[in-house]
Amino acid sequence: MHPTIADVLARPEVRAGAPAVRAGRAALGTPVRWVHVSEIADPAGTLPPGVLVLSVGVPVADPTTVPARYVDALRAAGAVGLVVEIGRQLPSLPAGLVQAARAAGFPLVELRRTVRFAEIVAGVLGQVTHRDDDPGPPGVEAAFRSLALHRVPPARVVGELARRIDAPVVCEDLAHRVLLTAGGPDLRDWAARSRLAGPAGPEGWATAPVGRPGARWGRLAVPSRPTPGTADRVRALLDAAADAVSLLDPSPEGLLRSARDAVVADLAVAVPSDAGRLAVRARAAGLDTEGPLSVVALRPAGDDAPVGPPTRSRPSTRRSPSSRRGRRWSPRTR
C-alpha cells in the first residue's frame, strides 16, 4: 500500500534531479511511509519509521562526520534510504559514504541537478495519503504527519483527533495544566483526576506523551473510557496525533500563555452565569481562582472613550514605548 523507493525515484519531480543510485540497489523495493528533509548527523528521535531522507549534504560535507556512523544513525532512526542533492554544498558524494552505504545495503541516491525538495515531499506524501485511507495505523500516520508537514497549529491536530474518535481530547503539560482542548472535555478537578489517569485508572483514560524523546513536556489525553471494540482504534489515532504534535515541537510555555489569555479574554465579555464555567477553565490552566483578581486596561491619554470606573489612584506617568512617539499611556483599574 506504500510506494517503494523505486516508485519515488520514478516520480517526475525526482527524475528532474537526474537521480543516480550509488548504493543499496537491491533494497529499492522497500516501502516508503514518509519523506523528510534532514540535515542532522545524528537524527535519533527526529524521524518516523520507514522514512526516505532528503538532504543537500550538510552532514556529509562536515569533516567531523564519520560516514559509517552516519549511515548507522540513519538506519537506527528509522530511515530506509538517503537522497543527497549534489551542488554547491556538496560537489560530490565522498567515497567513504558510498562504501559505508554499500556495506550496509542502504539505498543511497545522488541527485545531480537541483530540485525542489518541497515538491518531492508533497508529491510522495500525497501518494501515501491517497493510498492509505483506511482507519488503521498506516493511514492514520499519513494523515496526522501531513498536518505536521504543513505546520498547522497544535490546536488543529487536537481538534482533528477529537473529530476522528468522536470524543473529547486534552493536551496538558507535565504539571497537569490544560494547554489545549477539543470536543468539550469535563475539566472539573482536572489536575487531581489527571494524576490518576491511565487505562488502568478509575476512568480508563487513554494517554500518549508529547515532546521529543528525552525532552517530554506533556501528553495528550482522552478523558473518557473507550466504548467496547474501539480501544485499538483510539490508541492508534492518539499515538499518531501525539507524534504529530511532537514533530510540530511547540513551546509548552507559549501554549500555556495562550490558554490563560483565552480565559482572560472570555472573562472580559462574560456574564454572571459564566462564572462557574470560567473558574473551572482557569483552575485547569493553573490559575488561582481563590485570591483577588485585578484587570488592568490601558488607553491613550486624552482619549475620551470610557474604559471603566475612574481609578482611585492618580494616573501613572510612566511612559510606555508608544509614548516615546508622542503619546502618553495611563492605566485605569477596576
Side-chain angles (χ1 to χ4, degrees):
M1 294 298 295
H2 291 83
T4 65
I5 298 176
D7 292 334
V8 173
L9 298 183
R11 293 188 62 84
E13 59 268 21
V14 180
R15 291 204 314 271
V21 179
R22 300 295 305 277
R25 187 176 294 275
L28 293 184
T30 304
V32 174
R33 297 174 65 88
W34 198 250
V35 183
H36 186 67
V37 180
S38 176
E39 304 295 349
I40 305 174
D42 184 4
T46 65
L47 301 178
V51 64
L52 181 63
V53 174
L54 308 179
S55 171
V56 295
V58 173
V60 179
D62 188 341
T64 65
T65 300
V66 179
R69 193 173 300 166
Y70 176 49
V71 170
D72 289 344
L74 287 171
R75 297 174 64 200
V80 296
L82 173 64
V83 178
V84 182
E85 182 183 273
I86 301 302
R88 286 182 295 179
Q89 180 69 41
L90 188 71
S92 62
L93 289 182
L97 178 66
V98 176
Q99 293 170 1
R102 288 175 178 172
F106 184 70
L108 174 63
V109 179
E110 68 176 19
L111 298 178
R112 291 167 290 184
R113 289 200 294 265
T114 300
V115 296
R116 293 181 180 272
F117 280 176
E119 293 180 359
I120 296 177
V121 172
V124 175
L125 292 187
Q127 185 177 4
V128 170
T129 304
H130 175 72
R131 294 186 179 188
D132 285 344
D133 56 358
D134 62 277
V140 166
E141 290 175 4
F144 278 100
R145 289 189 185 280
S146 180
L147 294 177
L149 171 70
H150 290 90
R151 308 301 301 172
V152 303
R156 182 173 169 187
V157 177
V158 174
E160 179 66 12
L161 174 60
R163 185 188 69 80
R164 285 176 175 258
I165 65 175
D166 192 23
V169 178
V170 173
C171 178
E172 64 173 11
D173 64 11
L174 296 178
H176 303 287
R177 295 174 298 194
V178 173
L179 309 178
L180 299 166
T181 65
D186 181 2
L187 299 179
R188 290 174 296 178
D189 301 319
W190 177 263
R193 293 165 58 212
S194 180
R195 291 188 182 96
L196 301 175
E203 299 183 59
W205 293 8
T207 64
V210 289
R212 299 187 183 279
R216 300 299 190 191
W217 53 262
R219 66 179 180 175
L220 292 185
V222 181
S224 60
R225 192 180 300 276
T227 57
T230 65
D232 289 344
R233 181 173 182 272
V234 169
R235 167 51 58 187
L237 286 159
L238 179 61
D239 288 343
D243 286 346
V245 173
S246 299
L247 287 173
L248 289 170
D249 199 23
S251 163
E253 295 81 8
L255 293 178
L256 181 61
R257 283 195 301 272
S258 296
R260 291 176 169 179
D261 287 347
V263 172
V264 174
D266 288 348
L267 180 64
V269 296
V271 296
S273 60
D274 294 331
R277 175 180 57 83
L278 288 173
V280 168
R281 280 180 53 197
R283 285 192 291 268
L287 291 171
D288 180 12
T289 60
E290 301 301 323
L293 175 64
S294 298
V295 179
V296 179
L298 298 179
R299 69 174 180 83
D303 187 352
D304 294 330
V307 176
T311 178
R312 289 190 296 270
S313 61
R314 298 180 64 185
S316 169
T317 58
R318 186 169 58 183
R319 297 168 69 85
S320 72
S322 295
S323 68
R324 299 189 188 101
R325 295 192 297 270
R327 294 195 298 176
R328 178 172 297 173
W329 293 75
S330 61
R332 290 194 175 187
T333 60
R334 59 178 177 180

